[in-house]
Amino acid sequence: MSADLTGRVALVTGASRGLGFEIAKRLAAGGATVWLNGRDETALAQAAQAIGAGAKALAFDIGDDEATRAAFQKIAGESGLDILVDNVGNRDRRSFGQLDRAAMQAMLAINLVAPFDLARRAVPLMRERGYGRIVNITSIAAEIARGDVAYTASKGGLAALTRGLAAELGPDGITVNAVAPGYFATEANAAMVADPAIAGYLGRRTSLGRWGEPDEIAGAVAFLASAEAAYITGQTLAVDGGYLTHF
Ligand SMILES: NC(=O)c1ccc[n+]([C@@H]2O[C@H](COP(=O)([O-])OP(=O)(O)OC[C@H]3O[C@@H](n4cnc5c(N)ncnc54)[C@H](OP(=O)(O)O)[C@@H]3O)[C@@H](O)[C@H]2O)c1
């Protein structure tokens, strides 16, 4: 069963693969028209075709101001927008000592400034339609840390942006929430998924004792995007197999 999203229009960033693809698939299964975003047009067209009815490819780099403006002009002209899922998230696993100002700025540009800018562009369209849902994909790294300082800071910032936007957009009836994934067996994590030591670690470290399957993120996002979540805002829902609560 999918949350009922009949007649809604969503934009999911980074939807050509991984968690974004699964989220877009679930929103479309719920009845939404879904704009799938990514930079590679071919991969995006294949993803949209795989989802089928309701899926539309919209290639642009979320770090590119002009491309983002043009994409929103297209969305405004063709469909309007009810739901924004900020799923793109860059990683930089280098240690603190290897990072410089430019690396930090590049991380914040994609993981924090772009979601701010996408929300800025999406909110007027949501107001027009009298319905608005923003779901930011953060990480357990928004709350706890193992290093990865640039990524960790960017996700903590995105969690704070979620709360700030929720406070400011509440009077419009627009809700803003975050979903924080734990360890998911996506393509981006293929090397770690193949490592039995990591599987053993997750066996001990998570309550459910395993990696998350990519499609297991999607129900939480679909719920928060639906009318049923109308009185939930400013929250972060961890979808992490119990990682954050397991001692
Ligand atoms: N996987 C996990 O275990 C995990 C854990 C915690 C948090 N997360 C978070 O969950 C989100 C998704 O993770 P994932 O592992 O599914 O990611 P992924 O497999 O690396 O997918 C990234 C997606 O984003 C697109 N993309 C990258 N940069 C872009 C840009 N500048 N503009 C537009 N699209 C862009 C990629 O397509 P193109 O390359 O064609 O642009 C692709 O569709 C991220 O925010 C990540 O931090 C994931």
mmCIF file of all heavy atoms in Angstrom, residues 38 98 115 132-133 199 209 211 242:
data_model
loop_
_atom_site.group_PDB
_atom_site.id
_atom_site.type_symbol
_atom_site.label_atom_id
_atom_site.label_comp_id
_atom_site.label_asym_id
_atom_site.label_seq_id
_atom_site.Cartn_x
_atom_site.Cartn_y
_atom_site.Cartn_z
ATOM 1 N N GLY A 38 18.208 14.808 -12.063
ATOM 2 C CA GLY A 38 19.583 14.311 -11.998
ATOM 3 C C GLY A 38 20.325 15.096 -13.063
ATOM 4 O O GLY A 38 19.717 15.936 -13.727
ATOM 5 N N GLN A 98 42.547 16.997 5.343
ATOM 6 C CA GLN A 98 42.683 17.000 3.875
ATOM 7 C C GLN A 98 41.718 17.976 3.208
ATOM 8 O O GLN A 98 41.765 18.155 1.996
ATOM 9 C CB GLN A 98 42.430 15.591 3.331
ATOM 10 C CG GLN A 98 43.468 14.581 3.784
ATOM 11 C CD GLN A 98 43.064 13.174 3.380
ATOM 12 O OE1 GLN A 98 41.981 12.699 3.705
ATOM 13 N NE2 GLN A 98 43.940 12.513 2.647
ATOM 14 N N PRO A 115 19.230 22.937 -1.474
ATOM 15 C CA PRO A 115 17.902 22.710 -0.887
ATOM 16 C C PRO A 115 17.216 23.996 -0.450
ATOM 17 O O PRO A 115 16.004 24.151 -0.599
ATOM 18 C CB PRO A 115 18.188 21.790 0.313
ATOM 19 C CG PRO A 115 19.416 21.058 -0.085
ATOM 20 C CD PRO A 115 20.243 22.067 -0.859
ATOM 21 N N GLY A 132 1.462 21.935 0.307
ATOM 22 C CA GLY A 132 2.912 21.935 0.222
ATOM 23 C C GLY A 132 3.560 20.967 1.186
ATOM 24 O O GLY A 132 3.215 20.914 2.374
ATOM 25 N N ARG A 133 4.490 20.195 0.649
ATOM 26 C CA ARG A 133 5.268 19.253 1.459
ATOM 27 C C ARG A 133 6.724 19.329 1.004
ATOM 28 O O ARG A 133 7.007 19.138 -0.172
ATOM 29 C CB ARG A 133 4.787 17.812 1.252
ATOM 30 C CG ARG A 133 3.333 17.552 1.638
ATOM 31 C CD ARG A 133 3.215 17.403 3.148
ATOM 32 N NE ARG A 133 1.881 17.005 3.543
ATOM 33 C CZ ARG A 133 0.888 17.855 3.812
ATOM 34 N NH1 ARG A 133 1.070 19.152 3.713
ATOM 35 N NH2 ARG A 133 -0.298 17.406 4.177
ATOM 36 N N ALA A 199 29.018 -5.761 7.184
ATOM 37 C CA ALA A 199 27.768 -6.488 7.482
ATOM 38 C C ALA A 199 27.779 -6.949 8.937
ATOM 39 O O ALA A 199 26.773 -6.856 9.652
ATOM 40 C CB ALA A 199 27.609 -7.672 6.528
ATOM 41 N N GLY A 209 19.796 -5.359 12.638
ATOM 42 C CA GLY A 209 20.913 -6.243 12.336
ATOM 43 C C GLY A 209 21.300 -6.374 10.881
ATOM 44 O O GLY A 209 21.906 -7.381 10.499
ATOM 45 N N TRP A 211 21.775 -4.177 6.676
ATOM 46 C CA TRP A 211 21.661 -3.027 5.783
ATOM 47 C C TRP A 211 20.180 -2.747 5.513
ATOM 48 O O TRP A 211 19.358 -3.660 5.496
ATOM 49 C CB TRP A 211 22.314 -3.340 4.445
ATOM 50 C CG TRP A 211 23.805 -3.267 4.424
ATOM 51 C CD1 TRP A 211 24.665 -4.297 4.640
ATOM 52 C CD2 TRP A 211 24.599 -2.117 4.137
ATOM 53 N NE1 TRP A 211 25.965 -3.852 4.514
ATOM 54 C CE2 TRP A 211 25.945 -2.515 4.201
ATOM 55 C CE3 TRP A 211 24.308 -0.786 3.830
ATOM 56 C CZ2 TRP A 211 27.004 -1.641 3.973
ATOM 57 C CZ3 TRP A 211 25.350 0.097 3.596
ATOM 58 C CH2 TRP A 211 26.691 -0.331 3.671
ATOM 59 N N GLY A 242 17.244 1.232 13.428
ATOM 60 C CA GLY A 242 17.489 1.372 14.867
ATOM 61 C C GLY A 242 18.898 1.823 15.213
ATOM 62 O O GLY A 242 19.302 1.759 16.375
#
